Amino acid sequence: MAEGLKFNDEVSHALKMAYQTPDIVSARGQVIASLKLQNGLKVLDIGSGPGLLAKDISQHIGPTGSVVGVDMADNMIESAKQLCADAVNVTFEQGDAMSLPFADNSFDSVVSTQVYEYVPDLNAALLEFARVLRPGGRGVIVDTDWAFPYWSAVDVDCRDRIIHAWKQHCAQESVPMRLAGAIKSASLQLSKVEALPIMNIEYNDKNFSYWLSKIIASFAIDRNGVTNKDSEAWLAGIESLEQKGEYFFCINRYLFEVTK
């Protein structure tokens, strides 16, 4: 089982920066479009993180609508509250995707992005998603397939060991390949699946893979035989590829639209 990604201040900062890159801003826009939001809707954001998606949702549901963000990490909840301090229709609370603190059929829409890779039981988590969504309600789920990142490297062996170590950060690998079955088991209807690839050919702080590499390099140390020197060498190799114009990164995220 995974030891899990620790959302300390360094990781939280890198995640916040990654979530504000054009790559992820664009992906959030696709999530918003898929939710088909209207004034007055009550929306649940499972794994709300720093609150960026919740804030975007709040701007599409009007003052009579509401969005509730749930996250397990205290520092994420605090960051989200600060970000959305002026949004009167947004609230945040601590909660677990495996046991959501809400009554059955509570929400018109439910969204979850980058959450189900961390849960101990994918099917049980989808049952919770379905439980709080009202009949006729709409849901969106986004997750990444970490089994297949494409990342240029100077030392391929070092890269592969680091990426293999990174896979320990989540309890569930290749979630997108298993989501259709979990959705069906939760008695939800799958209406659409869409790939949301992220591709970078430059390595700088405006791109998602820049911040992701910092998180992965830190996490991998002392796992799968990776040393601090290995992580530093991997990042230095990436920098050298950028300087030569040979940098390349691509990974697929997948968006699932569901109804109840």
Side-chain angles (χ1 to χ4, degrees):
M1 292 298 291
E3 295 179 43
L5 182 62
K6 308 300 182 188
F7 289 94
N8 57 32
D9 289 344
E10 181 180 357
V11 170
S12 295
H13 172 72
L15 283 173
K16 289 176 198 174
M17 298 304 294
Y19 290 160
Q20 295 177 71
T21 60
D23 298 315
I24 304 302
V25 170
S26 175
R28 278 202 305 276
Q30 290 171 285
V31 171
I32 294 293
S34 295
L35 283 169
K36 300 188 184 332
L37 298 169
Q38 301 175 18
N39 287 343
L41 291 183
K42 187 176 182 181
V43 184
L44 174 64
D45 180 8
I46 302 173
S48 48
L52 291 160
L53 178 58
K55 184 174 182 179
D56 287 350
I57 291 171
S58 73
Q59 297 168 2
H60 290 79
I61 56 176
T64 60
S66 65
V67 54
V68 180
V70 173
D71 204 283
M72 292 185 66
D74 290 337
N75 52 0
M76 287 293 184
I77 292 290
E78 289 307 311
S79 293
K81 287 181 176 178
Q82 291 176 22
L83 179 71
C84 299
D86 296 332
V88 296
N89 57 352
V90 182
T91 58
F92 295 96
E93 57 184 274
Q94 194 167 34
D96 187 342
M98 297 294 298
S99 182
L100 295 168
F102 307 106
D104 296 356
N105 309 318
S106 296
F107 295 92
D108 301 303
S109 298
V110 178
V111 61
S112 171
T113 61
Q114 298 300 131
V115 172
Y116 292 130
E117 63 205 62
Y118 299 111
V119 300
D121 187 325
L122 180 61
N123 286 336
L126 263 291
L127 285 172
E128 276 295 276
F129 184 108
R131 180 183 65 79
V132 300
L133 181 63
R134 68 163 177 81
R138 187 176 190 83
V140 170
I141 301 165
V142 177
D143 258 291
T144 298
D145 191 346
W146 293 112
F148 298 104
Y150 290 87
W151 220 322
S152 56
V154 172
D155 185 335
V156 172
D157 176 70
C158 180
R159 176 204 62 197
D160 290 350
R161 286 189 293 112
I162 288 172
I163 296 302
H164 185 72
W166 169 246
K167 292 178 183 180
Q168 298 176 32
H169 90 285
C170 55
Q172 308 289 334
E173 187 176 338
S174 298
V175 169
M177 294 181 68
R178 298 164 51 214
L179 263 175
I183 288 166
K184 181 179 179 180
S185 295
S187 297
L188 293 167
Q189 286 73 54
L190 178 59
S191 55
K192 182 180 179 182
V193 182
E194 182 178 3
L196 305 179
I198 295 176
M199 184 178 70
N200 297 152
I201 58 172
E202 294 181 348
Y203 184 70
N204 57 53
D205 61 6
K206 294 181 175 60
N207 289 326
F208 173 75
S209 60
Y210 175 89
W211 296 104
L212 179 63
S213 71
K214 308 301 184 185
I215 296 169
I216 291 177
S218 177
F219 178 88
I221 296 170
D222 296 330
R223 294 178 170 89
N224 196 39
V226 176
T227 65
N228 186 69
K229 185 177 180 180
D230 290 331
S231 284
E232 290 177 351
W234 178 56
L235 292 176
I238 290 176
E239 291 282 2
S240 71
L241 290 170
E242 163 64 17
Q243 291 170 12
K244 293 188 292 183
E246 297 175 4
Y247 179 72
F248 183 87
F249 166 88
C250 185
I251 197 166
N252 279 331
R253 305 165 90 221
Y254 296 88
L255 183 152
F256 292 71
E257 294 183 14
V258 303
T259 55
K260 179 178 176 180

